[in-house]
Amino acid sequence: MSLSNFLAVLRARWILALAVFVLVCVGSIAYVVLATRVYTATASLVIEGRPDPVSSMLYGGAVSPAMINTQLEVIRSDRVALRVIENLKLTDTADLRAEWEKNKVEGTIQDWLVTRLQSGLRAEVARPGSNVVNITYAATEPRFAAALANGFVQAYLETAIELRVDPAKQYSGFFNEQIKEAKDGVEKARAKLSSFERDNGLIASDERMDLEMSRLNLLTQELVVAQGQAADASNRRAQAQANSGSMLEVQNNPMVAGLKSEIGKAEARLQELSSRYGDNHPLVQEARASLTDLRQRLATETRTATGGVAVNATISRAREGEIRGQLEAQRSKVIKLKEVRDQQALLVRDVESAQRTYDAVLTRFNQTNLESQNRQSNATVISPATPPTKPSSPKVVANLVMGLAAAIALGIGAALLLEQFDKRVRTPGDAIAALGLPVIGIMPTPKMSRRVKGQLALTQQRVISGRRAPPAIEQDKNKP
C-alpha cells in the first residue's frame, strides 16, 4: 500500500480510527485511575565471604556466585516464610484470617500465607558480581510492605544462623562420642606398651641395645684373638710332635740344656773308657748306664717342655670354644633384644597413632563446639526497608504513554482491517489496478476548490496521455 492509499484510507475511515483511539485512551486513563496502588519496600544486606572468626579460621575463602545463589534460594524458601509468619504473628491478624476463610483455600492458614508472602517477594543481587542482596516486597500498604521486607531480612538472618549452628551441634555430639573412643584407644595402647616393657624389663631400650652391641663387638674381638692363639698353639703342638728338639721351649729350657751338656760329657767319658778298658769293663758299663739315665732324663724333660705346648693348645682351643659360645649367646641376646625393640617400636607407633587420632578428633570437636555456640550471622543489614511514599505501580506517565501509543496503533489498525473487508476505489491508481483500463477523467465534487480542480485537469491530461497520474495531494506537495 502506497502512502497515498494509506492517507486515503485514513480520510475515509477517520471516524472508526478516532473511536478506537478514544476508547483505548479512556481505558488507559481508567486503568491508571482505578488500578490498585502497589507500594514496594526494599531492604539491602551484604553477605560476607568469611562469616565469623571461627568459620574463617576453618574454611576461609571469598563469596562465590554459587554461595550467593544459595542464599537467594534460602531467602525464597518456605522455612524463611514460615519464620516471617511466626515473628510477625500474621496468623493472628484478623484481616488475613478473614481473607483466608473467605477464599476457602485448602490447607492451613500457614500454607496459604507462605504462598501469598512469596508472591510479593523478590530477592536479587544488586548488580552482577556484587555481594549486596536486595530483598524487595510489594504490597498495597506501604507499612505492610516495609514490615514484610524487614521481616524477611530478620527471618533470613535467623535461619542462616540455624542452618550453620544445627549441623555444628550434631557434629559436636558425634565428635564427643569419638573423643571417648579415641581416649580409650590411647589408654589401651599405652597400657599394652607399659605391660610389654615391664615384662621384658625395658627401661631405655636404645641404651641397652647399645650396651649389648658393645659386648657383642668385644666378644667378637676376643674370639678373633683366641682363634689366633689357638691356631698358633696347634701349630706348635704339631711341631713338637714332629721335631720337639727344634722348639724354642725345649732349646731355652735350662734343665734340658744342662742334661744335654751332661750327656755330651758322659758320651765323651764313655768313649774314652771304652777305648781304654773295652766294652765289658765295669767302669764302661757304669758310664753307659749313667749315659742311658741322662738320656732318659732328657727325654722326660723334653716331654715335659713339649707337654706345656699341648696344654696351651688345649687351653687355647677351650678358650676359643668358650668365647664362641659366649658370642653366640650374646648374638642371640642381641637378636632377641632387636625383636623386643621392634615390638616395642610397633607398640609405640600404635600409641602415637592413637594419640594423633585423639588430638585430631579433639581439635575437630573444639572447632564444631565453637561453631555451635557462635550466633553471628554472615550477613549484615546495610539499609532496612522504610515505608515508601509513592506507589511503584501503576506508573502513570509510562502507562499513559503506552496507552497513547496503543491507541494510535489500534485506531490505525482498525481502519486498515476494515478496509481489507470493504475495499473501495479511492485513487485513480486503484481504478487502473482494479479495472485494467485507463482513467480518462476525474469528476470534481461541488465542494472542491479551484486549485484542486486545476490539479484534477492536469491529472486528467496525464492520464489520457497514457501515464499514471500521481495523487493530487502529492502533486500539491511537489508543486513549487
Side-chain angles (χ1 to χ4, degrees), residues 191-378:
K192 189 175 181 180
L193 176 61
S194 300
S195 177
F196 180 81
E197 291 177 344
R198 183 174 59 255
D199 295 340
N200 293 274
L202 298 178
I203 299 176
S205 59
D206 293 336
E207 296 180 359
R208 183 177 177 183
M209 187 66 185
D210 295 338
L211 178 60
E212 297 298 336
M213 287 298 298
S214 299
R215 291 179 179 177
L216 180 62
N217 293 332
L218 290 175
L219 289 174
T220 303
Q221 295 175 2
E222 291 179 5
L223 178 61
V224 172
V225 174
Q227 286 176 345
Q229 293 176 353
D232 183 62
S234 297
N235 293 333
R236 290 167 62 191
R237 183 173 61 180
Q239 184 181 2
Q241 293 176 355
N243 186 9
S244 60
S246 62
M247 295 182 62
L248 292 177
E249 288 82 357
V250 176
Q251 293 177 0
N252 295 332
N253 193 326
M255 293 294 295
V256 173
L259 290 173
K260 285 183 177 181
S261 177
E262 291 180 1
I263 290 172
K265 292 178 180 181
E267 288 179 348
R269 185 172 178 272
L270 176 61
Q271 186 177 4
E272 181 182 357
L273 289 175
S274 178
S275 62
R276 181 181 294 182
Y277 299 108
D279 293 337
N280 295 324
H281 192 275
L283 291 176
V284 174
Q285 292 180 356
E286 182 181 358
R288 186 179 287 113
S290 178
L291 179 61
T292 302
D293 183 60
L294 288 174
R295 286 177 177 175
Q296 290 178 353
R297 289 176 60 189
L298 177 61
T300 300
E301 291 297 332
T302 301
R303 286 194 301 270
T304 302
T306 56
V309 174
V311 171
N312 289 335
T314 303
I315 294 174
S316 297
R317 287 297 180 185
R319 178 61 179 165
E320 179 188 357
E322 181 182 356
I323 295 175
R324 188 181 298 276
Q326 292 178 358
L327 180 63
E328 293 298 330
Q330 185 66 22
R331 183 178 288 110
S332 300
K333 187 176 182 180
V334 170
I335 293 174
K336 183 177 180 181
L337 184 60
K338 285 184 177 180
E339 293 177 355
V340 171
R341 188 182 64 173
D342 292 341
Q343 294 179 4
Q344 182 189 22
L346 181 61
L347 294 176
V348 170
R349 285 195 296 270
D350 291 342
V351 173
E352 293 175 351
S353 177
Q355 185 66 42
R356 285 194 298 269
T357 302
Y358 174 75
D359 294 339
V361 173
L362 181 61
T363 301
R364 194 68 182 91
F365 169 75
N366 293 332
Q367 293 171 351
T368 54
N369 190 31
L370 287 175
E371 288 182 356
S372 64
Q373 296 176 4
N374 179 33
R375 306 298 299 179
Q376 300 297 323
S377 174
N378 64 333

